[in-house]
Amino acid sequence: MKKLVLKISTITLALSAFVFSSCSSDDDAPTPPSVETTADKLKKGEMNGELEENFILDASTTYELTGSFIVKEGTKLTIPAGTNILVKASGTESFIAVLKGAQIDIQGTAANPVVMSSEKGNPGDWGGLTICGKATTTAGVDAVAEVGGFIYGGTNDTDNSGSVKYLVIRGTGAQINPDAQYNGVSFYAVGSGTVVENIAVINGADDGVEFFGGTVSAKNLYLENNNDDAIDWTEGWNGTIDDAYVAHTNDGFSTVVEADGENKSPKINNLTAVNTFQAVEGSGTALQFKKQSGATITGLSLAGYKTSVDMKDGGALTNVNINGATADPANAYNLAATVDITGWTWIGAQLSLSGKLGGTLTSDLTLDASVAYELESFLLVQDGVTLTIPAGTKITARAGGVSVYIAVLKGGKIDIQGTAANPVVMSSKDGNPGDWGGLTICGKATTTAGVDAVAEVGGFIYGGTSDTDNSGSVKYLVIKGTGAQINPDSQYNGVSFYAVGSGTVVENIAVVDGADDGVEFFGGTVSATNLYLENNSDDAVDWTEGWNGTVTNTYVSHTIAGFSTALEADGANENPKLINFTAISTQNGTALQFKKQSGATITNIFLSGYATNVDMKDGGALSNVQIDGADATTTDPYNTGTQVDISTWTWRTAGL
């Protein structure tokens, strides 16, 4: 043993001498490797890890969320207006969580909202945003969240977790287990000191927003196609929501509102929910209250739901007060919309990715015909801005109903440069009637609705005093699957011309399989040449408000039952002209219908297959309608004219 100890001691001394001599040399000691912090990653546009120091993102950088991103207690994350966060990792691996005692400050604006989305924005792509606070919840102090195992809950009902303003979030709802999923935005015991306003949650596989206790309030919520509940609360949440709009265009959702647990009587002021999936028969449940939950709801407007109120566990109806009275499951609450989203242009904001279209154009944009574009939301062309669409461009519209359309606002311009060989094509993927809202153009020409009238679709402003106004040009456009249902009385058309002036060029347009009109003129002086209108469910050609342009060469085809007319005219008669009008039906129906005192001058008409050729709906004078040089009659078959020859219009079905 002594020899062993001696040997070890000798070795130890030798090593000590070596280390001592090395340290005393003139060489610098090696620098230990640096550890990359989460803040360092953010500076490179990488978003993952635990943030332990305050940080302000850069709106000029597109941040890639490649895993979980957690804002730790005592730390604040600031996200400036216009910031894009692109989710790269999939499923439950990707989420943003603000822990109890931390803050998030999302500083979006109406013109530049903050966008968080996966590349495709498909339901379940990622875990969304979770905020945890210190307010009260029936789950108690330091409760454990069902997602992420985060700690939340306390005794401070005025707790401040920051602010969330103008946020658009897509593709959330990742599946955690068979019984749990992430929501779009989850509020865990968030306090009333937190500001939440102008949030859009679109295409979530679970809830849009859910409140787990807490006292936080919110205003201006847009919740579209969230597969479970649009708005959900539990654990005694008792905040207020002002102005919420829910859109359901897909099958299989759960409810507009689901409430569970103890009733702390939260409030909703103005809730409009529209279900256009099988809206004719009605489907789905609007409001569901579990256990003894309840609420006070004012300004409730529902459309298209089979069940308005469901007390799931037999709770008292008196727990739920709607529009000043005890809830009534027999009441459909199908009042006029109480929330107007026409000014909420921010809800259409998209990630700045190639091929994605949506939001508001504030500067000129020229598309690239080699790119397959996806219209994810509405695209608004502002006053003074021009959207140019080259020949051969194809735009696939998401089947998102009223939230997906292209609108050229008063003072804006569109330049569609299609050719016979390469038309511009706009269609939903399947081209089903009502899939999307089509194209709307607003101008400055005269209309009997007056100056700065408000359109029935989108609430757009139109009308002025310039009959030669120029809104651009539309040449060789094929459009399919339009006519999204706005409400029981109103739909989008294929192409809508609101007070469009004669300086605008419109020629060679095909509108196919629209759920409402093919083309409609609301006043204005614009003329059009070569219109092909096939199986539009309402009217092929429609005008009102004193339109007085000319349409040359129109071909209408009706092969599906249930349409309204080939032509519908309404309002004051400014004597518009139709030159060469052909309409052929295999389903009977009405060809020409004139309402009030409307009329027209029509030359070279050919009608075939209609049960009624001329209908003066409100008893207007037949002399208002001049057909081939004579007063219209209700008995003439009008089948001797020369049919419009569409044999060379090969462009009309291009790309469909």
Side-chain angles (χ1 to χ4, degrees), residues 306-330:
K306 184 177 181 179
T307 302
S308 61
V309 179
D310 174 27
M311 305 305 290
K312 179 73 172 178
D313 300 316
L317 281 168
T318 53
N319 289 344
V320 184
N321 187 290
I322 299 178
N323 295 340
T326 297
D328 180 5

Side-chain angles (χ1 to χ4, degrees), residues 19-90:
V19 172
F20 179 78
S21 62
S22 297
C23 291
S24 63
S25 71
D26 294 333
D27 297 334
D28 293 334
T31 302
S34 60
V35 177
E36 186 177 43
T37 67
T38 299
D40 293 331
K41 295 177 186 177
L42 287 173
K43 292 173 184 176
K44 299 188 298 182
E46 299 174 8
M47 201 169 185
N48 64 65
E50 297 183 344
L51 184 65
E52 297 181 310
E53 59 184 284
N54 295 344
F55 196 91
I56 301 174
L57 300 187
D58 181 350
S60 66
T61 299
T62 295
Y63 291 88
E64 294 188 353
L65 182 66
T66 57
S68 62
F69 183 84
I70 297 173
V71 183
K72 300 197 73 175
E73 181 179 1
T75 303
K76 181 178 181 179
L77 172 67
T78 302
I79 306 180
T83 302
N84 285 323
I85 297 176
L86 172 62
V87 182
K88 299 293 286 187
S90 61

Side-chain angles (χ1 to χ4, degrees), residues 14 111 118 134 195 250 280 282 331 345 376 385 400 424 474 488 509 522 560 565 590 611:
S118 58
K134 301 177 181 178
V195 176
N250 295 336
V280 174
N331 189 338
T345 54
E376 291 287 339
V385 175
V424 169
V474 181
I509 296 179
F522 296 84
I560 298 176
T565 67
T590 298

Side-chain angles (χ1 to χ4, degrees), residues 140-322:
V141 176
D142 290 342
V144 180
E146 65 177 1
V147 297
F150 307 125
I151 303 301
Y152 68 102
T155 59
N156 182 7
D157 279 344
T158 61
D159 186 41
N160 179 5
S161 294
S163 64
V164 180
K165 297 181 179 179
Y166 291 100
L167 169 66
V168 178
I169 191 164
R170 294 174 178 267
T172 57
Q175 188 84 37
I176 300 167
N177 56 51
D179 300 317
Q181 292 168 291
Y182 282 93
N183 303 304
V185 185
S186 300
F187 299 93
Y188 280 90
V190 176
S192 61
T194 309
V195 176
V196 179
E197 54 189 41
N198 302 293
I199 296 179
V201 183
I202 300 170
N203 292 350
D206 199 57
D207 301 336
V209 295
E210 183 164 5
F211 302 89
F212 297 83
T215 54
V216 68
S217 294
K219 68 178 182 179
N220 297 354
L221 302 182
Y222 178 82
L223 306 161
E224 178 189 320
N225 289 333
N226 294 284
N227 294 347
D228 195 10
D229 315 305
I231 301 170
D232 192 349
W233 70 77
T234 186
E235 299 181 9
W237 172 66
N238 67 341
T240 298
I241 293 175
D242 291 310
D243 298 330
Y245 189 99
V246 177
H248 286 128
T249 66
N250 295 336
D251 189 20
F253 64 89
S254 177
T255 67
V256 174
V257 168
E258 179 186 281
D260 193 2
E262 185 177 335
N263 182 16
K264 294 290 186 179
S265 195
K267 297 176 177 61
I268 301 180
N269 299 319
N270 300 326
L271 170 61
T272 295
V274 179
N275 173 29
T276 59
F277 185 85
Q278 297 179 344
V280 174
E281 299 178 3
S283 63
T285 297
L287 314 179
Q288 184 178 84
F289 296 89
K290 297 180 177 179
K291 299 179 182 175
Q292 291 300 314
S293 60
T296 298
I297 304 175
T298 58
L300 176 64
S301 170
L302 304 176
Y305 296 92
K306 184 177 181 179
T307 302
S308 61
V309 179
D310 174 27
M311 305 305 290
K312 179 73 172 178
D313 300 316
L317 281 168
T318 53
N319 289 344
V320 184
N321 187 290
I322 299 178

Side-chain angles (χ1 to χ4, degrees), residues 61 141 159 186 235 238 260 269 289 311 319 363 381 384 418 429 450-451 491 494 530 538 543 555 594 598 616 622:
T61 299
V141 176
D159 186 41
S186 300
E235 299 181 9
N238 67 341
D260 193 2
N269 299 319
F289 296 89
M311 305 305 290
N319 289 344
S363 60
V381 182
K429 180 180 178 181
V451 175
Q491 293 168 291
N530 297 352
D538 196 10
W543 70 76
Y555 190 99
F594 296 88
S598 60
M616 306 304 290
L622 283 165

Side-chain angles (χ1 to χ4, degrees), residues 8 10 63 168 209 262 342 486 514 516 528 583 605:
I8 292 175
T10 304
Y63 291 88
V168 178
V209 295
E262 185 177 335
T342 56
I486 300 168
D516 199 58
I605 190 171

